[in-house]
Amino acid sequence: MQPLEPEDPQSLGEYRLLRRLGAGGMGRVYLARSTSGRTVAVKVVHPHHAVDEEFRHRFRREVASARRVGGAWTAPVLDADTDGPTPWVATGYVAGPSLAQAVAEHGPLPEATVRAVGAGLAEALDHVHGLGLVHRDVKPSNVLLTLDGPRLIDFGIARAKDGTASLTSSGVSVGSPGYMAPEQILGERVAGSTDVFALGAVLVYAATGEAPFPGDSSAALLYHVVHGEARLDGLPDGLRETVTRALSKDPGGRPSTEVLVGELAGAAGGAAGLVRSGWLPGPIVEQVSRSAVELLELEPQAPQGSGPVPFTTPAYGPDAGLVPPLPASPPSIPPSVPRGPGFGPPDPSFGEAVAHPTTETGPPGPT
């Protein structure tokens, strides 16, 4: 989380921008607060994309698709302006680090946590697929860990099931290296099974700290996904069979999202049965709790060269949408524990997309 720069807008629609969450090839992501006190993430399209009519058309279509996604274990689209001089979209701000950040800082997750993550994402994808959409970019930075369960975010390149992997007029594949299914890399037809492959790769990363397909470049990595075998060293035995089938090169050999939920949740019956007090390791709970306190104390930034900005305290509480309720007895945080970074929709998810290594892709829309 960074201060606003002089060139950043102070507000968009009813949202007062508070801080920068990051920047990518498509634009910038801001932490913002609505007039009613709800905290959101606002993704703003870069000016040079805003004047591109083809991009705007794609952005409108993708925002419309994302608005339809409102099931459990996702961050909802709340508002958008796709026709104004500065196109933007506001999503619910999720209180938790990304899976990528959590694993990088704290190491691989326990099997029970991995199962909860997998079951939650499988239920989210089951809902998405039921709407006739495919997410197409399931990866660790698009999975957020909160006190009350995982959240799948960034539906910026979600498209209808009956299309190919192409998002651009040139027909190239869009996604993230190492988490794209072989058919997606090859520009073939995608379906719900494409997301299942990505989910399998995410589970390997969560449980081992390493992506299942190695490569020192995007081209090498994508080649390995299509032709090589996944590395499953360190994967718990209880997850190995399920993950192996999810990573099948043949889409027809992958389990459905419904089957994944059953295999990962077992007797718990679903993700909700796995997400309970203590589902996250202690260090991640401490990180979320610290960040939630920082968010509550955050005030609008005064424009450079001006006096203090008047600040009206928003109505906190479960209906304000500011942060999810903290545990009744939050863990004590020793003074020696360093303060963690901000949290919410990660920056890389807004600008991170790759094309087939020999072809240049156009920009996907955010969210």
Side-chain angles (χ1 to χ4, degrees), residues 1-194:
M1 193 180 301
Q2 301 295 325
L4 297 178
E5 298 292 339
E7 66 270 20
D8 291 324
Q10 294 295 308
S11 64
L12 289 166
E14 67 166 294
Y15 304 98
R16 180 65 180 272
L17 304 189
L18 302 176
R19 297 292 187 272
R20 276 193 186 196
L21 291 176
M26 301 305 104
R28 296 191 177 107
V29 187
Y30 298 95
L31 180 71
R33 190 170 287 149
S34 72
T35 54
S36 64
R38 181 163 192 170
T39 304
V40 302
V42 179
K43 298 183 177 184
V44 181
V45 171
H46 195 284
H48 73 259
H49 293 312
V51 298
D52 182 341
E53 285 304 318
E54 182 181 352
F55 181 92
R56 275 185 178 267
H57 175 71
R58 190 159 59 245
F59 183 63
R60 292 187 194 102
R61 182 183 61 208
E62 291 163 355
V63 167
S65 294
R67 281 184 182 274
R68 298 168 57 198
V69 180
W73 318 118
T74 63
V77 171
L78 304 173
D79 199 0
D81 180 0
T82 60
D83 298 315
T86 304
W88 55 268
V89 59
T91 62
Y93 186 73
V94 179
S98 71
L99 176 61
Q101 179 186 350
V103 171
E105 295 181 4
H106 305 292
L109 303 178
E111 181 177 346
T113 302
V114 175
R115 285 182 174 274
V117 169
L121 297 183
E123 288 184 6
L125 290 172
D126 190 64
H127 173 74
V128 171
H129 299 162
L131 297 173
L133 300 173
V134 181
H135 186 286
R136 297 171 180 248
D137 201 18
V138 178
K139 59 184 177 182
S141 62
N142 278 344
V143 177
L144 304 185
L145 306 179
T146 79
L147 297 176
D148 57 352
R151 295 291 186 274
L152 178 63
I153 64 167
D154 205 337
F155 292 83
I157 61 175
R159 291 290 305 280
K161 288 182 181 179
D162 57 0
T164 67
S166 171
L167 240 187
T168 69
S169 58
S170 57
V172 295
S173 303
V174 178
S176 298
Y179 298 93
M180 296 169 67
E183 66 271 16
Q184 190 176 10
I185 294 171
L186 297 172
E188 299 171 354
R189 183 180 181 277
V190 301
S193 56
T194 303

